[in-house]
Amino acid sequence: MGYIGLIDCNNFYVSCERLFDPSLNGEPVAVLSNNDGCIVARSNEVKQLGIPMGAPVFKYREIIEKNNVRLFASNYALYGDISDRIMRVISSEVPALEVYSVDEAFVDLGGMEVDKLQSLAVALKEKIFRWVGVPVSIGIGRTKTLAKVASHIAKKFPQREGVHILEDELLEHKALKWIALGEIWGIGRQLRRRFSYYGAEVAWDFVMLSDSLIRKEGAIDALRIKKELLGESCFEIDSQPSKKKSISSTRTFTKMVTDKQELMSRISNFSVRCAEKLRKEHLCAYEVRLFVATNRNRQDLPQYFQSAYYRFLSPTHDSMYLASTVSNLVEQIYRDGFHYKRAGVIVSDLVDRDSIQLDLFSGTRKIKTDDLLKAWDRLSSTMGRNIVRLGSQYQSALSSKLRSPKYTTRWDDLLPIGKCQPDDSSE
């Protein structure tokens, strides 16, 4: 019998902040969204205060101030680097790894004997904390979905010490009779409502429904989830994930934008970010799409949503070319008199950079451009993102005072020796 493990970092963004500031341990800590408007990560202490995920800060300002909740702006450069370190530790201990998200990974434990799974999981958990400093929970089951269930139990019950194994059908059935249907991986809000109509409130109720009913209400994916919950593997470990189909850079603005030039410069940032992501993934894009939107929650203001599209003759990852093209798209769809709240750039129809066929006249120009972009990326990786910028890009005069330093990705932000005292506590 093969087993699959799910390694899930505990309150990952918060744990990254605590990693370099041990004084935050045991204190209520929350991490905010890009525009510092909503809470996207919470420590256990914040959860106990009743502040939900995604909560707007202004609605809970009184609770936050009364309980001295420490707020941090999202620091994705730091979180991404810590995530890479964790995944490298995991990959050194298991035969196959699927990085599911920035703070989760599935691992193949098919060759392990069941009586050795507990010691393996504990040793891996301790190694991640010792080498990286981030606490994790590990759930193990016969399928990916059961591993997710086990991980949820490992987090929910401290007596499990961060590890839970659904090693037989008896434990599986017990877990399914306890866990709410909405907590099951792949069962979103809409599906939960549909199956709740038939009395399915916990996972066990769901697996007791007929296959025909589940397929009718939730299509084939819901039926696969049922099979997974009953121990039949439908989702294999994918250690070589397929290339991305699209890449996007979008943002909800802190303040609505009415000036055309400011909107164009902000969108130029999105174009450059998409190009940087393309180069990091060794991809080029044939298509780019731009959208702009007003604030749909402001019924007192006129509403506007529009998008524009362009297809390149040859795929590109050139920041300058992409920004110039998107600027032309802004000219097409911009309208005076609107208060713009959200915008984004999406590149699609992606191809591998090394498989592109050059035309007769672009060879020399492309070599020069690629040399420039390589220098750009090299400077960004050593001196920090945005060290090289286009003149068209938006430069905010207000950098978030809530953002912690980029401790691991920027030389100027390296923590001095002795500043951070070791701490052995874990969540």
Side-chain angles (χ1 to χ4, degrees):
M1 181 188 299
Y3 286 90
I4 292 175
L6 175 71
I7 301 170
D8 190 358
C9 301
N10 298 347
N11 309 326
F12 180 57
Y13 292 174
V14 171
S15 294
C16 289
E17 298 294 347
R18 286 174 165 171
L19 184 58
F20 295 93
D21 186 356
S23 69
L24 299 174
N25 288 327
E27 298 296 321
V29 179
V31 177
L32 308 180
S33 56
N34 282 327
N35 59 6
D36 293 350
C38 297
I39 293 174
V40 296
R42 305 161 295 160
S43 67
N44 291 335
E45 295 79 12
V46 172
K47 294 175 185 178
Q48 291 168 6
L49 294 174
I51 300 177
M53 177 69 80
V57 173
F58 74 90
K59 284 189 177 181
Y60 292 86
R61 180 65 68 181
E62 184 177 344
I63 296 177
I64 289 171
E65 293 178 352
K66 180 180 178 181
N67 293 277
N68 297 315
V69 176
R70 295 286 303 275
L71 299 178
F72 288 87
S74 49
N75 188 345
Y76 295 120
L78 174 65
Y79 309 151
D81 185 64
I82 298 301
S83 174
D84 288 342
R85 297 179 185 211
I86 292 171
M87 299 309 167
R88 286 198 295 271
V89 173
I90 298 171
S91 63
S92 69
E93 298 293 327
V94 297
L97 163 74
E98 177 187 338
V99 179
Y100 180 66
S101 68
V102 70
D103 63 342
E104 292 177 285
F106 288 105
V107 296
D108 183 5
L109 302 174
M112 293 292 300
E113 297 177 14
V114 66
D115 58 347
K116 294 182 179 179
L117 290 175
Q118 179 74 26
S119 58
L120 171 70
V122 170
L124 182 55
K125 177 178 178 290
E126 291 176 350
K127 183 174 181 179
I128 293 171
F129 187 76
R130 185 171 65 252
W131 285 31
V132 185
V134 171
V136 302
S137 296
I138 300 178
I140 298 174
R142 291 189 290 162
T143 66
K144 279 186 172 182
T145 308
L146 286 173
K148 273 274 194 179
V149 172
S151 174
H152 186 79
I153 295 172
K155 280 189 170 187
K156 197 74 174 179
F157 298 96
Q159 60 267 34
R160 303 293 179 188
E161 297 183 343
V163 175
H164 188 65
I165 304 172
L166 298 176
E167 60 185 54
D168 54 40
E169 286 190 359
L170 182 63
L171 288 175
E172 290 171 0
H173 293 173
K174 184 178 179 180
L176 297 185
K177 291 175 182 178
W178 168 79
I179 192 168
L181 182 58
E183 298 290 346
I184 297 299
W185 181 45
I187 300 291
R189 188 178 305 170
Q190 188 175 8
L191 283 179
R192 180 183 60 79
R193 286 202 198 104
R194 288 184 189 176
F195 293 119
S196 178
Y197 176 80
Y198 297 99
E201 299 298 333
V202 296
W204 182 255
D205 300 331
F206 171 71
V207 300
M208 289 296 102
L209 297 176
S210 68
D211 289 0
S212 58
L213 175 60
I214 291 176
R215 186 160 188 169
K216 173 187 171 184
E217 294 293 335
I220 190 67
D221 283 343
L223 186 56
R224 287 173 179 159
I225 292 170
K226 173 184 174 178
K227 291 180 178 180
E228 285 256 320
L229 289 172
L230 292 175
E232 181 182 341
S233 181
C234 297
F235 309 119
E236 301 297 329
I237 294 286
D238 185 3
S239 58
Q240 296 293 331
S242 57
K243 292 286 187 180
K244 294 181 178 178
K245 296 181 179 179
S246 66
I247 287 175
S248 65
S249 179
T250 66
R251 181 67 61 90
T252 298
F253 306 133
T254 306
K255 296 181 179 179
M256 290 182 285
V257 177
T258 57
D259 179 71
K260 178 182 178 182
Q261 194 57 47
E262 180 182 347
L263 182 65
M264 290 187 75
S265 62
R266 286 178 179 269
I267 290 173
S268 181
N269 284 358
F270 305 155
S271 304
V272 170
R273 184 65 184 131
C274 280
E276 291 173 343
K277 291 179 180 180
L278 284 169
R279 296 197 296 274
K280 185 176 181 180
E281 298 284 340
H282 301 282
L283 298 170
C284 289
Y286 268 109
E287 298 176 353
V288 60
R289 184 175 297 275
L290 162 73
F291 76 85
V292 295
T294 53
N295 188 348
R296 62 184 179 182
N297 296 318
R298 290 289 301 271
Q299 299 303 318
D300 57 321
L301 295 174
Q303 298 295 308
Y304 179 70
F305 175 88
Q306 190 56 267
S307 63
Y309 157 91
Y310 184 82
R311 184 172 179 85
F312 302 105
L313 292 176
S314 298
T316 185
H317 59 200
D318 184 343
S319 299
M320 297 163 285
Y321 185 29
L322 195 60
S324 175
T325 301
V326 172
S327 292
N328 291 333
L329 296 180
V330 175
E331 293 283 1
Q332 293 178 26
I333 65 176
Y334 177 82
R335 299 292 182 271
D336 283 322
F338 292 102
H339 295 67
Y340 295 94
K341 182 63 175 177
R342 184 171 174 80
V345 173
I346 305 165
V347 291
S348 56
D349 196 357
L350 309 183
V351 295
D352 193 282
R353 182 173 63 190
D354 297 328
S355 66
I356 298 172
Q357 174 120 19
L358 298 179
D359 61 55
L360 181 62
F361 305 102
S362 64
T364 303
R365 177 174 56 81
K366 184 179 184 304
I367 291 172
K368 290 182 179 179
T369 302
D370 281 352
D371 288 343
L372 175 60
L373 294 173
K374 287 177 183 177
W376 181 328
D377 293 337
R378 191 161 52 249
L379 286 169
S380 297
S381 65
T382 57
M383 303 183 68
R385 213 176 84 204
N386 296 329
I387 194 69
V388 181
R389 303 173 64 90
L390 298 180
S392 61
Q393 286 186 252
Y394 180 76
Q395 299 188 51
S396 174
L398 298 174
S399 60
S400 178
K401 296 180 180 179
L402 300 175
R403 183 167 291 111
S404 56
K406 296 181 175 67
Y407 295 108
T408 63
T409 59
R410 186 177 178 187
W411 286 107
D412 292 344
D413 289 346
L414 283 177
L415 201 64
I417 294 176
K419 179 77 173 180
C420 182
Q421 297 298 318
D423 184 86
D424 292 329
S425 65
S426 61
E427 294 182 58

